[in-house]
Amino acid sequence: MDKEMWRASVAELVGTFALVFIGAGAVCANDWTAGKVGVVGIALAHGLVLMAMVYAMGHISGTHINPAVTVALMSQRRIEPVRGLFYIIAQLLGAVIAGFFLRGIFPAQVGTVFLGTTTLSEGVSLTAGLLTELILTFLLVFTIFGAGIDERAPKGFAGLAIGLVLTFDILMGGALTGASMNPARTFGPALVANHWAWHWVYWVGPILGGLLAGFLYQGFLMEKEQK
């Protein structure tokens, strides 16, 4: 692996660490403070950290920090398979490291909110949970293609648009599924807290949603010469 790919992989690791540490950490802080952070605070924590990482490292790796995003870009030949594989490994590793730090900071939250691991809420069916994750991730990846990849998009606003879509996705879906939209976001805390309930939903839903968004935008909305 060349030096440039090492840099990009490290950027993906750090970016995913930040997303999970701040996002799942906000869930832990909400539990620790008996709900004082709230769903709006949790949504903003996720959206703001993602926005910051896009601006900080988009020029290094593209700031995927999400296996569903990487798989979608691989499917549209926006990233080579080997690079994509290294990205996904780095993302999962960054998420796990964040999970261990959260366990050290919030030991009591291992047994209450499982370090912020996303899971289906009581009364949410498997079908509803899967569709929620699929649709929310579709919107996220669709925005990434539209604001961050399409050359016709206004310059300089990709981070803001991507951060905002993550925020409003969590405002809608957080109460249902935790609104992960990101297998790494769920995997890191789940591994450290050893909580695997409905875990596969957070791989299948986001990856399918990302693939659908990629095929729609790349296949029908993108100017052909940009492929």
Side-chain angles (χ1 to χ4, degrees), residues 79-103:
I79 181 174
E80 296 176 355
V82 173
R83 177 181 286 265
L85 178 61
F86 275 101
Y87 274 26
I88 292 171
I89 292 171
Q91 291 156 6
L92 295 176
L93 182 57
V96 170
I97 294 171
F100 278 111
F101 273 97
L102 289 174
R103 187 174 71 177

Side-chain angles (χ1 to χ4, degrees), residues 6-182:
W6 274 113
R7 289 196 193 101
S9 297
V10 169
E12 287 297 305
L13 186 153
V14 173
T16 312
F17 171 87
L19 176 66
V20 176
F21 183 77
I22 297 299
V27 176
C28 293
N30 185 61
D31 183 72
W32 187 63
T33 60
K36 290 183 179 179
V37 176
V39 65
V40 174
I42 293 170
L44 285 173
H46 283 83
L48 290 172
V49 69
L50 180 59
M51 180 176 66
M53 292 302 103
V54 170
Y55 286 125
M57 295 184 293
H59 55 287
I60 300 173
S61 70
T63 321
H64 299 188
I65 59 178
N66 183 339
V69 172
T70 301
V71 169
L73 293 176
M74 288 169 63
S75 74
Q76 298 306 310
R77 299 182 181 179
R78 290 282 175 178
I79 181 174
E80 296 176 355
V82 173
R83 177 181 286 265
L85 178 61
F86 275 101
Y87 274 26
I88 292 171
I89 292 171
Q91 291 156 6
L92 295 176
L93 182 57
V96 170
I97 294 171
F100 278 111
F101 273 97
L102 289 174
R103 187 174 71 177
I105 296 168
F106 296 104
Q109 277 58 53
V110 175
T112 55
V113 293
F114 310 106
L115 298 176
T117 303
T118 53
T119 190
L120 302 187
S121 297
E122 186 176 352
V124 177
S125 70
L126 179 61
T127 300
L130 193 62
L131 283 174
T132 299
E133 286 296 319
L134 188 154
I135 294 168
L136 296 182
T137 312
F138 172 90
L139 294 174
L140 175 63
V141 176
F142 191 85
T143 302
I144 290 170
F145 270 84
I149 296 176
D150 195 330
E151 295 173 2
R152 298 169 295 174
K155 304 302 180 185
F157 291 96
L160 178 62
I162 295 166
L164 285 174
V165 75
L166 189 68
T167 301
F168 68 62
D169 272 1
I170 293 174
L171 288 173
M172 181 275 167
L176 303 175
T177 66
S180 174
M181 300 163 272
N182 184 336

